[in-house]
Structure formats: C-alpha cells, structure tokens
Amino acid sequence: MRCCFIILFLLCSQAAMCQSLAELEKQLDSLLRKREKSELIIGVGYGNSPAYGKKTTTYETPVIMKPFLSPTLSYYHKSGLFASASSYYLFEAIGKPWFEWDLSIGYDYSKNRKFLTGISYTRYIFTDSSDIPVTPINNELFAYFYYRDWWLQPGISLDLGWGSAQETLAGGRLSRNLSGTDFNIVGAVRHPFIFLDVLKHDDAVLLTPSIGVTAGTANYYSNLKAFQYMSRSPKLHSEWNRNPPGGDRPPTADAVRSFLSSSTKTGFEMRAVDVTLNASYVIGKVTISPSYTVFKPFQGEDKSLIGYFTARLGLTFK
C-alpha cells in the first residue's frame, strides 16, 4: 500500500510543467485521424514553487521550494481554439495562499498529417503575496511547430514574456517599478510511440522521448514555458538571495543605490540541453501524463546534471 501511495504521489507532483493534454490529444488524433468533438478538461496537480522561507524578507532570506495545489479548467474546441484557467494554492504560506491565476487562450492546428503547430497567449495574475519573489513577467506569447512526417520529428518553439511589477524595500518605504522582457527559443527532436488497447479495450499509452536545446535570456524568474528547466537552477536562487525585494530595516545609502540599479539581466545565450521522456495513459475520460527530464545548464554556478519528475491528471468531458 505504501508503494502504491508513493507512485500516486509522484504521478501528481509538479503538474504545471509536464506534457500538456492538448498535445497528447493532437498526437493521438494523428494516429486515429479523428477529432470530432469539443472537450472540457478538469485537471488538478501538485507541485512546487519558489517562495521565501521566512516571514520577514531581509537580505539573507532564503528562497526555498514550497508545495502547491493547482486546479485547472480547459476547453478545447474541435476547430482548434482553446481557453484555460488555472489557480495555485500554496501550502505552508506566510501570506495569501492563493498566490497566482493563469488565463490562456490560443489556437492549435493538428489536422495536417505532416505538421503540428499552434500559438497561445497567457496572462499571469499574481497576488500581493509575501511568499513569492516579484517578477515583472506577467504576459507570455508562445508559438510552436513540429514536423511529424519523419520518424524523428523536429520542432521549434518561440517564447516571449513581458510585463511590469512594483518592487518594494524596507517595509514599503522604498519602491520601484520593474519592467522587462525575456525571449527564448527551444529546438527539439522527438518520436512518439503509441500503443492501443494495452490494459483494456479503448485505452492508449503514448511514450515520447525527446532531446531539446534552450537558448535565450534569463533576466527574471518567470513561469514561461521555456523556463521549465532554468527555474530550477541554483543561479536564480542565489540571485534572489543577493537581491531580495524586501527588508525590515532602514536602508543605507548604498542599499538604496543597489536597489535602484541592481540587475540580473543576461544576454541571449545557450541556456540548457535536456533529455525528456513523456508518458501518457488514457483510459476512458481519465488521462495521466507523467514525465521525467534530465537537463544540463550551460550558465550559472552549478552546471551539473539535474533531473526532475512532473505529471498531470485530467478528466475529460466531450
């Protein structure tokens, strides 16, 4: 029983970063040659988010990973249009536990046998939470293209984030407006293996190994899709620790100058290479999509290999 509980826990962990249900459905469509109905998908996930480890944010306040619960509601029209809404509840929260809402709209084109493409816009809404590091990146425009007529399917993704936010110091006695952008390109090669009627009639298993390379900027922490690896880099944690957005003591003149001029901006450069295995199991209305990634960052203080597990659980209504 304990083993089963651990496996179930892993399948539900860090749901925000794994292979999307929409991508799974489009890949199954390419095999079955059908997409006849629109779909409403209810999902829930359990994951981790960077958060401050103490109630008072000082210059030495650590940034740690805290667990969150993420319910999601998505609607996919048979034409390819879709919309989704997600919220995030932070466990062990110091401030407001509901710290983020994501609203997305987009279009996916999967009716051509030779290629798969799509574009989406996401608006990130953050509460004034003392737990979560401030980021100005609250808008995302994401586009992707996969050529799937070859055994090895090459693909490319473009990821642009922008926005603004207010950052405070010394209990609100100092503040500044942050604005910025991040842009990333992800190139990948993959091959999906699809197995039908594995455990029972009308179920399916999809296994998709892939190799990807990410290049771009890493000016700010964000939820951008291209940051699924870099957000776990110790470099970002060390930057937050050196330049936290708060403090409970009167700032010195040097601290004020540092606060007003500090920047962690980077140039456009190779950021990481990764190897990922996505696995999805569909049985009736239920879809489980675990994934495991090993990646090597090219930038930052720690360039060693890092691995992590993610998953998504969803219920589909047609």
Side-chain angles (χ1 to χ4, degrees):
M1 178 63 71
R2 178 178 298 178
C3 180
C4 294
F5 175 78
I6 293 174
I7 293 174
L8 179 61
F9 176 81
L10 289 176
L11 287 176
C12 293
S13 68
Q14 297 182 344
M17 296 300 180
C18 71
Q19 179 192 33
S20 70
L21 295 177
E23 183 177 358
L24 167 64
E25 292 299 321
K26 287 187 285 289
Q27 291 174 353
L28 289 177
D29 288 344
S30 68
L31 175 70
L32 303 176
R33 299 292 188 270
K34 64 179 182 180
R35 189 178 182 86
E36 301 172 353
K37 297 181 180 180
S38 301
E39 299 169 343
L40 178 68
I41 300 177
I42 299 175
V44 64
Y46 180 87
N48 292 289
S49 177
Y52 290 114
K54 295 181 180 179
K55 182 175 182 179
T56 303
T57 55
T58 66
Y59 295 103
E60 294 80 23
T61 299
V63 173
I64 61 176
M65 302 300 288
K66 290 185 178 180
F68 67 80
L69 188 68
S70 176
T72 302
L73 180 65
S74 304
Y75 178 75
Y76 296 91
H77 191 266
K78 59 184 179 181
S79 66
L81 294 171
F82 70 88
S84 66
S86 302
S87 61
Y88 297 85
Y89 181 91
L90 188 70
F91 293 98
E92 306 173 11
I94 299 170
K96 300 176 182 178
W98 291 100
F99 68 94
E100 180 183 338
W101 287 262
D102 300 347
L103 304 175
S104 298
I105 58 173
Y107 176 77
D108 292 312
Y109 182 75
S110 60
K111 297 181 180 180
N112 191 294
R113 181 182 61 84
K114 294 186 176 182
F115 66 88
L116 176 71
T117 188
I119 187 170
S120 64
Y121 167 78
T122 300
R123 172 67 176 180
Y124 299 102
I125 302 173
F126 303 100
T127 63
D128 185 15
S129 174
S130 59
D131 294 271
I132 306 301
V134 175
T135 175
I137 306 299
N138 46 35
N139 299 278
E140 178 183 19
L141 188 62
F142 179 79
Y144 69 91
F145 177 89
Y146 269 97
Y147 186 77
R148 54 182 181 177
D149 199 36
W150 299 337
W151 193 86
L152 283 178
Q153 302 178 358
I156 187 171
S157 302
L158 305 178
D159 198 2
L160 173 65
W162 74 94
S164 61
Q166 187 175 67
E167 191 176 26
T168 61
L169 177 68
R173 289 189 290 272
L174 289 176
S175 65
R176 65 173 178 176
N177 291 321
L178 290 176
S179 62
T181 61
D182 267 315
F183 176 69
N184 288 268
I185 300 176
V186 182
V189 177
R190 69 181 186 183
H191 177 76
F193 298 91
I194 302 176
F195 307 92
L196 300 178
D197 302 333
V198 177
L199 299 179
K200 64 182 296 293
H201 180 64
D202 288 340
D203 72 351
V205 172
L206 173 65
L207 300 177
T208 309
S210 65
I211 300 176
V213 177
T214 301
T217 62
N219 298 331
Y220 305 96
Y221 167 74
S222 70
N223 288 358
L224 298 182
K225 296 176 177 63
F227 273 68
Q228 58 181 309
Y229 315 127
M230 302 314 296
S231 64
R232 292 168 174 78
S233 170
K235 176 185 178 182
L236 291 179
H237 295 177
S238 64
E239 292 289 355
W240 290 330
N241 290 339
R242 287 196 296 268
N243 299 293
D248 62 345
R249 56 191 176 189
T252 64
D254 289 340
V256 172
R257 284 192 293 270
S258 175
F259 174 73
L260 294 177
S261 62
S262 63
S263 175
T264 60
K265 291 186 176 181
T266 66
F268 189 93
E269 52 196 358
M270 299 295 296
R271 307 222 58 85
V273 60
D274 68 88
V275 177
T276 301
L277 176 62
N278 290 309
S280 297
Y281 179 66
V282 181
I283 178 170
K285 297 181 179 180
V286 178
T287 302
I288 302 174
S289 301
S291 175
Y292 186 77
T293 295
V294 176
F295 76 98
K296 178 178 176 59
F298 296 138
Q299 308 298 329
E301 299 174 357
D302 187 357
K303 298 182 178 63
S304 60
L305 289 175
I306 303 173
Y308 65 92
F309 181 87
T310 63
R312 183 187 298 271
L313 177 65
L315 182 63
T316 302
F317 299 91
K318 296 185 178 181

